[in-house]
Amino acid sequence: MRALRITLILLVVLGGLFVLADRVAVGFAEDEAAGRIKSSEGLASTPDVSIGGFPFLTQVVSGELDDVKVGIKNYEAPTGGSGSAAGTIRIDDLDAEMHGVAFSGDYSSATAGSATGTASISYAELLKAAKSGPAEVAPGVRARVIGLSDGGNGKIKVTVSATVLGAKLPEPVSVLSSVSVSGDTVKVHADSLPKLGVQLAEGRIRSITDFEQKIEQLPGGIKLDKVEAAHDGVQISVKGSDVRLVG
C-alpha cells in the first residue's frame, strides 16, 4: 500500500509538472506569435494571441495547432487607390479564430486551414466614406450626409442635411438604409429616399444617400463575408482558407 501511495504521489507530481511545463510553453509560443504577427502585418500595437487545445506540447510534436485566436485593436485597413488617393479605414476590433494551423519546423511560417471572425467599424469612421462636403444634387439644391446611427432591425439610419435655394431645411431628414458586402466592399443603400422639399431624380438623391467603402488587405488574406448594423457601428463577418498567420 505504501508503494502504491508513493507511485500515485509521483504520478500526481509528474502530471502537475507536465501541465506547468505545457502552460509555460504555450505562453511563450503566444508571445512569440504575437510579436511575429505584429512585425509581418506592420501593426502599431501587439495583437492578442491565444492558442487553444490541450496539451499544447503534443500539438507542437504533430506540427499543427488545433486553433489559434488573434485579436487586433485599431487596425488600419487599406481602402484602395494610390498616391494621394490612397487611404485607410480604422477597424476598432478585428478578431479571428484560425483552425488547423500548420507551422514550419523553425516556426518562421504558419498557415491556417480555415478562419472565421468579426470586424467592427464605428459609424463615425464609416461616415468618412460618404461625401464629406455638400454636393449639388440639382440647381439650387445642395445636400450631404451628416450622420450615421443604428436604425434598428439591422438597418443604418442615414441623416441628411440640405439647403434649397440657399435656405437650409428646418430639420435634417433621415432614411433607413440596408448595408451589404460585395467582394471587398461594404455598400450602404437607402431603402427609401429622403424628402428634400423639391422633386428630384432618384439618381441625384442616391448620389448623396448611397455610398460604399472598399476594405482591402485584411491580415492573412481573410475576406469580408457578411455585414450588419449594430449599436455603435457595423459588424462584419470575415472568413478565409489557407490563411497566412505568420511568414
Side-chain angles (χ1 to χ4, degrees), residues 61-233:
V61 173
S62 71
E64 182 174 303
L65 304 177
D66 294 339
D67 65 85
V68 178
K69 295 179 181 178
V70 179
I72 301 174
K73 298 285 188 182
N74 300 320
Y75 179 74
E76 297 289 339
T79 57
S82 59
S84 60
T88 61
I89 185 169
R90 188 183 70 252
I91 298 176
D92 294 331
D93 295 287
L94 177 58
D95 297 301
E97 184 168 352
M98 317 285 185
H99 305 282
V101 180
F103 52 89
S104 61
D106 60 358
Y107 306 108
S108 61
S109 66
T111 302
S114 63
T116 56
T118 59
S120 59
I121 300 176
S122 70
Y123 286 123
E125 191 71 11
L126 187 61
L127 180 61
K128 297 176 183 179
K131 296 184 182 298
S132 57
E136 189 170 51
V137 294
V141 181
R142 299 175 66 83
R144 69 186 179 104
V145 175
I146 60 172
L148 302 176
S149 58
D150 181 17
N153 296 319
K155 303 291 185 179
I156 295 179
K157 181 181 178 182
V158 178
T159 302
V160 177
S161 175
T163 59
V164 178
L165 299 177
K168 188 175 183 179
L169 294 184
E171 297 289 341
V173 293
S174 299
V175 293
L176 294 180
S177 297
S178 299
V179 58
S180 62
V181 163
S182 177
D184 61 1
T185 303
V186 174
K187 296 185 175 183
V188 178
H189 180 84
D191 294 349
S192 59
L193 300 180
K195 299 185 183 302
L196 302 181
V198 292
Q199 288 293 111
L200 296 173
E202 179 176 341
R204 289 184 175 273
I205 299 179
R206 287 198 179 279
S207 69
I208 301 297
T209 61
D210 296 6
F211 58 92
E212 58 186 46
Q213 177 64 69
K214 182 173 287 189
I215 302 174
E216 296 185 335
Q217 299 176 27
L218 292 176
I222 55 178
K223 304 294 184 182
L224 307 183
D225 184 25
K226 296 181 292 185
V227 63
E228 61 181 16
H231 179 67
D232 296 319

